[in-house]
Amino acid sequence: MKHEITVTVNGTKHTSEVDSRMLLVHYIRDVLNLTGTHVGCDTSQCGACTILFNGKAVKCCTMLAAQADGAEIMTIEGLAKNGDLHPIQEGFWEEHGLQCGFCTPGMIMASYDLLQRIPNPDEQQIRHNLEGNLCRCTGYQNIVKSVQFASKKMSGAPGDD
Amino acid sequence: MAVTRMFGASVKRREDARMMTGRAHYTDDVRRNHTVHMSVVRSPYAHANITNIDSSEAAQMPGVVGVFTGADLVDDVAPVPCAWLLPDCNLKVPEYRAIAVDKARFVGDPVAVVIAEDRYQAEDAADAVKVSYEPLDVVTNQEAAVKDGAPQLYDDVPNNLAFQWKLSGGNFEEANQSADIRISQRFVNQRLIPNAMETRGVLADYNPGSGSLEVWLTSQNPHIHRLLLSAVTGIPEMNIRVDSTDVGGGFGSKIPLYGGEMIACGIAKKLGKPVKWMESRRENYVTTAHGRDHIDYVDLAATSDGKITGIRVEAYANHGAYLSTAAPGVPTWLFGTMLSGPYKIPNIECTMNGVLTNTTTTDAYRGAGRPEATYLLERMMDLLAKETGLDPVEVRRRNFIQPDEFPYTVATTLQYDSGNYDAALDQALEMVGYEELRKKQEDLRSQGRYLGIGFSTYVEVCGLAPSSAAGMMGFQGGLWESATVRVHPSGKATVLTGASPHGQGEETTFAQLVSHETGIPFHDIEIVHGDTDRIPFGWGTYGSRSTAVGGSAIVYASRNIVEKAKRFAAHMLESSPEDIDFNDGVFSVKGSPERSKTIQDVALAAHLAWDLPEGEKPGLEDSYFFDPTNFTFPFGTHICVVEVDAETGTTEVQKYVAVDDLGNVINPMIVDGQVHGGIAQGLAQALYEYAAYDEGGQLLTGSMMDYCVPKFEHIPHMDVGRTVTTTPVNPMGLKGAGETGTIASTPAVVNAIIDALSPLGIKHMDMPFTPQRVWEAIQERKGS
Ligand code: FES
Ligand code: FES
């Protein structure tokens, strides 16, 4: 069965006809060609596909495209504004929070959600809240630092610049 | 040589810019018009005759372009090649078909593929292919597989023994006879699953008009893959382009050439259409090569004062159902030669039995052979400490090769380049606060609590490798590396490297090197890797070789550029090359620094060629092929502090200290990142990871739900330090950083846990130290 959906992705409205069974991650990657959202597993474990769905982090490999009708989505491509990196991206860059980069888009979107809920998380809170995202390269330590960097920068703490 | 701030600076990585904005192009992100998708039908049995394949229904399904069995493709795609042909050990390489013909030998062995217009249709149709099997007896364990009467995978490989490899130096038997202390221990180095976050995949696009094949491939070594793809498809090498610029992690698992990739290329040629195949994660678990899987019987001989006189290892490596590309070299040369560790051990003997079983193939996994050697050796050191009553630190010190003894040739014939093992150990002891920790341990023990301190003083071999050594070991390739440094008329540079980084950050490190050597600003240097159409040749990234070998080629090419530019500058300044100083990209006349030309001025003049110096050719470009004279030998000390909760069996890592000596370091931030990631993987082997098979050969840990890839909360904070002992093997004096963490960490964690549990009389347990396993061991001891 086909469904007509209207989705706003990174501020742009798209209307498409999708199969009932099409996963949202495939809609984003293969229909909209936004390939920054990755697929790393088939059991909702890795978090490589994390996007913001109506403002909240979701693993979009576990949703159907049809469920996204009317939704507001942000993917990694929508995070930097006018060529300016988002503070979370800056944090990952400054603190070497990525190596192969495959987990990174999902990691950044999950961090975005975390910092919305807990603007100044301590190390434990970061580790706990990001546990749905796997990284095989970094050993996580620098991702923790990246999120801390972003947290400071976003709360406008003195001495950032 | 120009001295800039570039060498040794934690420059932010330039590859990050595309990766953290979603603009990288991993294989699955590449788009070609009219692409068709492949899905693989796999054997659900670990060992079975394939009696019939009925694809009639599948072929009629929507979107299906074709269904192919192994028999259909026998003439299009040759068997999967094995590229490490060990000499002198009766090696048998069984035929490894990309799609099994007649017989399947592990769960996941491909039996057919379906091509359809989209991936959903391809998977639907794959489900509709009906295959009849006649199940056979299964063997998954390597010790069981070599026994008489075990199920046989191949008619021509008796007892499933693919090879028996031996290495010896000195005379272990004699040492053992005269030893005061003899210790024997069996170690299981369990099977691991690499789990790069990006699974394997391929997009193959064949143009029948030009006869050329373009391949986007998840590869650590695209030129090797181009060569092998040419051999198996018959398409000439110069008509194949492999592009592996962005790869989402490899850890060794993307070194081999696999059947799936070969088939996609073969079918792309047959159909004249682009064919894409990306593994699902479940497929990745059963078909991408696993790592480790040794059973090692170790005998150690020593004097009563703790000096080791000999070590003997009789071991069994599980290779799975076929010999993967580099598999035979991993448990042999990369293992046996490292059995001396950082110690003076005059008598060493190693026998390695390479065994075929009904399991997924094994091949290189981060460290590849060296973690296995280091693990058993560092465990034996602790057993020796126990036996002699010496502190584990002291027993190590008594056996260390001393700084003034380098270059030092160990009994296994390797010549270690340089080292100062005590220095790294001292620094680590200071960082961890060793004496206080022992006091704290005593206090806690008196309260019935289990604190443990574990050491790993390791040395590893990397910077693979002198090509003559590769030949001697039977590796079917060279191990030099190439670089082209091309300075454009504008003075900006493009650098082509044969190394193929996939997370290691060499786009940054190599630009730092070129900037350091030539004075061309970092941002004016582009590093190109992973594309066989642009790069002359390269052996790729593995064995911690990219910077030690590939970086050396870049340094020498850069130096040749500077030499040529100096001759041009001298001509332009009406001076002679001997009278020219070079500093930070500026050539000036000795004594009159105001008479100068920048390297950019020279680049333009060299391209315009209006006024060439006598005998000079236009342009400013150099290609260099660097073949190292020796390996490099990084070393260090890792110390792990754990507390084991006797009530739950849970291990808490309280402190982790790593002091690594990697020689000089170009970018400390990147190197720390390599060390962190390596430690996480090695620690995960000690605590969490284990590929489990049932008796029928089903992989029980076949998804991310069942196999414990460590999460944030599983990995502790790591304190990383360094000592610097340079190596004469390459012009940068650096050793390599990619694998140290993994090699060092596993025994440090295990030694800590065993130390914690030693009041219970526990001397050894096999990994992983899951709470259940630890709890059971504690209960058993407490009960007895
Ligand atoms: S792809 Fe792994 S959680 Fe979505
Ligand atoms: S950076 Fe490679 S998986 Fe996280």
Side-chain angles (χ1 to χ4, degrees):
Chain A
M1 208 179 120
K2 299 266 187 198
H3 307 261
E4 194 183 277
I5 59 169
T6 300
V7 198
T8 306
V9 181
N10 303 330
T12 308
K13 206 172 243 192
H14 301 270
T15 301
S16 321
E17 193 161 272
V18 296
D19 259 350
S20 303
R21 63 175 179 171
M22 177 180 261
L23 295 176
L24 180 54
V25 68
H26 289 146
Y27 175 73
I28 291 171
R29 288 180 52 80
D30 297 337
V31 179
L32 302 185
N33 260 314
L34 293 169
T35 56
T37 301
H38 297 152
V39 177
C41 74
D42 42 20
T43 52
S44 290
Q45 242 70 38
C46 76
C49 62
T50 307
I51 57 166
L52 290 177
F53 187 92
N54 292 333
K56 287 206 173 103
V58 303
K59 296 177 174 178
C60 68
C61 69
T62 38
M63 285 188 75
L64 297 168
Q67 291 173 281
D69 190 26
E72 183 99 26
I73 285 174
M74 181 159 71
T75 68
I76 188 70
E77 289 91 344
L79 196 55
K81 294 274 181 288
N82 310 320
D84 287 335
L85 292 177
H86 186 276
I88 302 175
Q89 290 167 316
E90 274 181 64
F92 273 72
W93 203 4
E94 289 290 337
E95 299 292 350
H96 189 27
L98 61 151
Q99 291 182 22
C100 78
F102 198 78
C103 72
T104 311
M107 213 47 102
I108 288 177
M109 299 319 277
S111 305
Y112 187 100
D113 181 279
L114 159 66
L115 291 174
Q116 269 183 345
R117 288 182 289 114
I118 312 173
N120 295 299
D122 63 21
E123 172 164 357
Q124 260 347 88
Q125 286 173 310
I126 294 171
R127 287 185 183 268
H128 182 69
N129 278 277
L130 294 181
E131 70 155 17
N133 288 69
L134 295 176
C135 173
R136 193 57 157 168
C137 296
T138 62
Y140 300 112
Q141 188 154 321
N142 285 348
I143 299 182
V144 172
K145 284 166 71 182
S146 305
V147 176
Q148 285 168 334
F149 179 100
S151 154
K152 267 202 205 125
K153 179 111 192 186
M154 286 162 78
S155 62
D160 279 354
D161 301 315
Chain B
M1 175 179 22
V3 180
T4 65
R5 285 172 287 112
M6 274 293 145
F7 196 113
S10 288
V11 178
K12 281 192 289 181
R13 299 200 327 167
R14 54 165 49 161
E15 39 276 81
D16 293 3
R18 64 177 186 277
M19 291 174 180
M20 62 192 187
T21 53
R23 258 67 180 199
H25 287 108
Y26 301 95
T27 296
D28 197 20
D29 303 337
V30 180
R31 300 283 181 266
R32 300 298 262 191
N33 288 336
H34 310 298
T35 295
V36 292
H37 297 264
M38 183 169 98
S39 176
V40 184
V41 181
R42 300 181 181 282
S43 171
Y45 295 101
H47 201 190
N49 289 321
I50 302 163
T51 53
N52 189 44
I53 301 174
D54 175 5
S55 57
S56 52
E57 187 191 330
Q60 301 305 316
M61 289 177 63
V64 172
V65 176
V67 182
F68 301 91
T69 65
D72 295 337
L73 295 171
V74 163
D75 295 332
D76 300 284
V77 184
V80 185
C82 176
W84 203 322
L85 304 178
L86 299 173
D88 310 320
C89 60
N90 203 14
L91 175 71
K92 298 186 186 67
V93 180
E95 187 177 84
Y96 179 2
R97 281 277 162 196
I99 302 180
V101 179
D102 299 334
K103 193 173 174 186
R105 292 185 175 84
F106 70 98
V107 172
D109 214 352
V111 291
V113 297
V114 175
I115 305 291
E117 274 156 20
D118 75 36
R119 69 175 84 190
Y120 288 72
Q121 293 169 331
E123 282 174 31
D124 285 345
D127 282 345
V129 175
K130 294 192 183 68
V131 186
S132 309
Y133 297 94
E134 179 183 86
L136 301 166
D137 288 341
V138 171
V139 64
T140 61
N141 174 283
Q142 60 267 50
E143 282 191 294
V146 293
K147 297 221 166 83
D148 288 337
Q152 295 294 293
L153 271 74
Y154 300 91
D155 293 339
D156 50 357
V157 187
N159 291 71
N160 303 308
L161 189 64
F163 59 83
Q164 187 176 64
W165 179 88
K166 287 174 189 283
L167 181 73
S168 75
N171 187 330
F172 175 80
E173 225 14 88
E174 254 173 41
N176 205 33
Q177 298 280 326
S178 57
D180 305 325
I181 294 174
R182 295 184 197 92
I183 303 171
S184 300
Q185 183 63 52
R186 175 182 188 264
F187 296 98
V188 178
N189 203 298
Q190 83 272 28
R191 181 181 279 242
L192 302 178
I193 302 180
N195 274 296
M197 277 301 124
E198 179 203 34
T199 58
R200 268 166 47 230
V202 58
L203 172 62
D205 187 3
Y206 183 76
N207 181 332
S210 61
S212 63
L213 176 73
E214 272 191 286
V215 188
W216 288 266
L217 191 63
T218 53
S219 171
Q220 300 180 217
N221 27 247
H223 284 90
I224 295 182
H225 281 149
R226 183 183 63 173
L227 178 60
L228 295 176
L229 282 172
S230 167
V232 298
T233 61
I235 301 168
E237 210 177 344
M238 74 282 186
N239 291 343
I240 302 179
R241 171 188 174 213
V242 176
D243 187 344
S244 309
T245 305
D246 285 334
V247 175
F251 315 111
S253 71
K254 292 171 181 169
I255 297 171
L257 180 65
Y258 295 89
E261 288 86 326
M262 292 165 45
I263 292 294
C265 291
I267 293 176
K269 184 178 171 198
K270 230 177 157 70
L271 299 177
K273 281 181 196 254
V275 175
K276 179 182 263 194
W277 173 65
M278 282 304 299
E279 275 183 329
S280 70
R281 178 59 64 184
R282 280 166 202 271
E283 284 182 294
N284 176 270
Y285 271 93
V286 293
T287 69
T288 293
H290 297 172
R292 317 280 189 264
D293 207 344
H294 278 207
I295 296 169
D296 302 308
Y297 290 86
V298 185
D299 296 296
L300 182 118
T303 63
S304 54
D305 60 353
K307 288 229 169 77
I308 307 169
T309 53
I311 189 164
R312 178 173 60 198
V313 178
E314 165 102 32
Y316 299 83
N318 190 341
H319 278 297
Y322 305 96
L323 290 178
S324 173
T325 309
V330 173
T332 52
W333 290 105
L334 296 178
F335 167 77
T337 54
M338 287 314 292
L339 286 171
S340 200
Y343 312 115
K344 288 187 263 193
I345 307 181
N347 305 291
I348 298 180
E349 218 177 275
C350 178
T351 303
M352 175 55 75
N353 298 287
V355 185
L356 298 163
T357 67
N358 297 115
T359 59
T360 297
T361 57
T362 58
D363 204 313
Y365 171 56
R366 201 167 191 175
R370 292 152 288 166
E372 295 89 320
T374 304
Y375 175 68
L376 68 85
L377 194 57
E378 289 304 295
R379 285 294 300 121
M380 289 309 275
M381 292 312 284
D382 270 26
L383 292 174
L384 179 60
K386 264 266 154 316
E387 195 70 28
T388 54
L390 291 167
D391 188 284
V393 173
E394 179 57 24
V395 82
R396 286 172 166 82
R397 285 200 202 278
R398 286 192 187 180
N399 289 284
F400 275 161
I401 300 163
Q402 295 303 307
D404 58 357
E405 292 174 310
F406 292 93
Y408 184 89
T409 304
V410 291
T412 57
T413 72
L414 288 176
Q415 192 190 70
Y416 291 2
D417 52 352
S418 60
N420 189 344
Y421 303 146
D422 279 302
L425 174 58
D426 289 339
Q427 187 173 322
L429 289 171
E430 198 183 309
M431 280 169 70
V432 84
Y434 185 51
E435 278 175 30
E436 268 143 62
L437 269 175
R438 282 291 181 212
K439 280 187 211 125
K440 182 173 166 195
Q441 181 181 42
E442 233 171 82
D443 285 353
L444 290 177
R445 275 184 183 165
S446 65
Q447 302 165 31
R449 288 170 61 183
Y450 298 93
L451 187 86
I453 307 158
F455 290 86
S456 169
T457 52
Y458 73 98
V459 60
E460 65 138 327
V461 55
C462 66
L464 270 43
S467 298
S468 57
M472 187 270 292
M473 298 185 294
F475 178 67
Q476 302 299 298
L479 285 171
W480 46 266
E481 205 47 272
S482 77
T484 297
V485 178
R486 178 178 299 152
V487 186
H488 303 292
S490 60
K492 301 184 193 300
T494 296
V495 179
L496 315 175
T497 172
S500 194
H502 40 280
Q504 297 86 345
E506 271 91 1
E507 285 177 37
T508 303
T509 312
F510 285 174
Q512 287 178 260
L513 270 183
V514 174
S515 180
H516 175 74
E517 292 289 336
T518 63
I520 297 172
F522 175 78
H523 291 290
D524 288 349
I525 300 162
E526 184 204 13
I527 305 295
V528 177
H529 62 84
D531 180 351
T532 62
D533 260 14
R534 293 187 71 184
I535 296 145
F537 196 84
W539 292 101
T541 287
Y542 41 83
S544 303
R545 67 188 301 274
S546 296
T547 305
V549 187
S552 297
I554 287 175
V555 167
Y556 285 121
S558 301
R559 289 182 185 173
N560 286 343
I561 294 275
V562 169
E563 274 317 300
K564 180 173 181 181
K566 186 184 260 189
R567 296 194 299 272
F568 271 71
H571 181 72
M572 292 161 82
L573 295 165
E574 296 173 342
S575 176
S576 66
E578 308 77 64
D579 291 330
I580 298 290
D581 279 335
F582 179 60
N583 203 350
D584 220 356
V586 179
F587 299 92
S588 57
V589 179
K590 283 197 171 99
S592 22
E594 72 291 348
R595 289 174 61 205
S596 67
K597 292 284 170 195
T598 64
I599 192 159
Q600 291 80 5
D601 297 335
V602 173
L604 183 60
H607 281 86
L608 294 176
W610 292 339
D611 178 18
L612 289 177
E614 178 121 7
E616 293 290 348
K617 301 227 160 43
L620 196 53
E621 167 167 334
D622 193 76
S623 287
Y624 199 93
F625 296 77
F626 177 77
D627 195 6
T629 51
N630 193 4
F631 303 88
T632 58
F633 296 85
F635 60 88
T637 295
H638 286 211
I639 307 177
C640 180
V641 183
V642 301
E643 184 169 355
V644 177
D645 182 340
E647 300 295 314
T648 62
T650 313
T651 298
E652 186 204 352
V653 177
Q654 296 193 335
K655 207 166 192 164
Y656 196 98
V657 165
V659 175
D660 299 294
D661 194 317
L662 315 166
N664 287 325
V665 165
I666 301 169
N667 185 319
M669 174 193 81
I670 288 178
V671 166
D672 287 351
Q674 290 296 304
V675 172
H676 291 164
I679 292 171
Q681 281 176 343
L683 178 136
Q685 175 172 20
L687 294 176
Y688 313 118
E689 295 184 29
Y690 181 31
Y693 282 94
D694 73 6
E695 279 174 11
Q698 299 292 334
L699 181 63
L700 299 175
T701 52
S703 81
M704 279 184 170
M705 288 206 279
D706 306 295
Y707 185 91
C708 184
V709 178
K711 300 173 193 259
F712 271 90
E713 291 181 306
H714 286 129
I715 303 298
H717 180 86
M718 300 160 258
D719 289 322
V720 173
R722 264 193 286 280
T723 57
V724 176
T725 307
T726 58
T727 173
V729 175
N730 60 60
M732 299 155 290
L734 59 77
K735 296 192 170 197
E739 294 161 299
T740 52
T742 315
I743 289 166
S745 58
T746 310
V749 178
V750 172
N751 283 340
I753 299 172
I754 299 293
D755 183 49
L757 299 178
S758 64
L760 294 166
I762 292 174
K763 283 190 182 159
H764 180 71
M765 280 171 59
D766 284 321
M767 303 179 285
F769 286 74
T770 56
Q772 181 183 349
R773 218 180 252 197
V774 173
W775 184 83
E776 280 171 2
I778 293 172
Q779 294 309 309
E780 210 175 280
R781 294 294 161 149
K782 281 192 164 166
S784 66

